[in-house]
Amino acid sequence: DAGVIQSPRHEVTEMGQEVTLRCKPISGHNSLFWYRQTMMRGLELLIYFNNNVPIDDSGMPEDRFSAKMPNASFSTLKIQPSEPRDSAVYFCASSSSGQETQYFGPGTRLLVL
Amino acid sequence: SQQGEEDPQALSIQEGENATMNCSYKTSINNLQWYRQNSGRGLVHLILIRSNEREKHSGRLRVTLDTSKKSSSLLITASRAADTASYFCAPHTGRRALTFGSGTRLQVQP
């Protein structure tokens, strides 16, 4: 299995631009999670999906952030417009029904100038 | 969901020594998981201990759980330089999302 796949691995953009992060969960997993990690705030849960439905988005910082999961094999996290304080590493993770272990992707390192 | 609090925040030991990290949490759990994060990488699951278990081993890892004290410990025996990483505990309450504390940064000196 290829594991959780995230793209791009690195993204540098300018303030005000739209940023789209992508995630492909492990095949057969029905839960998907987006996390953000910074030195100041640590690892924060942004949103998670179960069977493609958002279950808890209370961690999404503000309306500039949105996440979708159009099918079981793909999810996006979009930031529009981006701001320098959004600079962080964004991780996607997935888990399968009946198992609690989460499998993390390699992350997307975002820098907003 | 609730997050665990790891202690100490940082730990530096010599290769071959044992490393012990602790985790405290606040509410009842179904299980507790430990993860490792190498610098610049995603988290990797190490071990899961269920609420009805008191101790679990996996290779050089030993995890204990004391539900009466709401605490867990992770012991790495005979540490290696490759064990240098951040370690996170994640108490799981039965909901699907895990949350993480600040972790313990372990430095193993060769």
Side-chain angles (χ1 to χ4, degrees), chain B residues 69-96:
Chain B
K69 295 182 179 178
K70 293 185 169 58
S71 67
S72 174
S73 67
L74 171 66
L75 169 68
I76 304 174
T77 61
S79 63
R80 305 167 182 169
D83 295 327
T84 294
S86 291
Y87 292 81
F88 298 86
C89 71
H92 195 255
T93 60
R95 294 184 62 188
R96 298 295 295 176

Side-chain angles (χ1 to χ4, degrees), chain A residues 27-44:
Chain A
S27 178
H29 283 189
N30 67 344
S31 293
L32 184 140
F33 312 84
W34 282 101
Y35 292 88
R36 177 174 68 177
Q37 188 175 38
T38 61
M39 288 294 293
M40 292 295 295
R41 301 175 69 91
L43 193 62
E44 304 172 277

Side-chain angles (χ1 to χ4, degrees), chain A residues 30-31 33 35 37 43 45 48 56 91 95-102 104-106 109, chain B residues 30-31 33 35 37 40-45 48 50 88 92 95-101:
Chain A
N30 67 344
S31 293
F33 312 84
Y35 292 88
Q37 188 175 38
L43 193 62
L45 174 68
Y48 82 92
D56 182 358
F91 290 102
S95 68
S96 65
S97 177
Q99 294 187 17
E100 301 93 342
T101 299
Q102 291 184 184
F104 282 74
R109 190 174 297 273
Chain B
N30 288 355
N31 66 68
Q33 304 175 37
Y35 288 77
Q37 183 179 32
R41 311 288 289 273
L43 277 70
V44 174
H45 180 260
L48 180 154
R50 300 197 180 279
F88 298 86
H92 195 255
R95 294 184 62 188
R96 298 295 295 176
L98 296 176
T99 53
F100 298 86

Side-chain angles (χ1 to χ4, degrees), chain A residues 40-100:
Chain A
M40 292 295 295
R41 301 175 69 91
L43 193 62
E44 304 172 277
L45 174 68
L46 300 178
I47 185 172
Y48 82 92
F49 295 84
N50 194 37
N51 292 323
N52 312 339
V53 176
I55 302 300
D56 182 358
D57 65 354
S58 59
M60 295 286 265
E62 47 199 272
D63 292 345
R64 298 184 298 105
F65 285 69
S66 62
K68 294 182 179 180
M69 191 163 186
N71 56 63
S73 59
F74 184 66
S75 177
T76 59
L77 177 67
K78 185 176 293 186
I79 308 172
Q80 167 63 19
S82 58
E83 296 182 2
R85 60 189 169 128
D86 301 330
S87 298
V89 182
Y90 290 81
F91 290 102
C92 176
S94 70
S95 68
S96 65
S97 177
Q99 294 187 17
E100 301 93 342

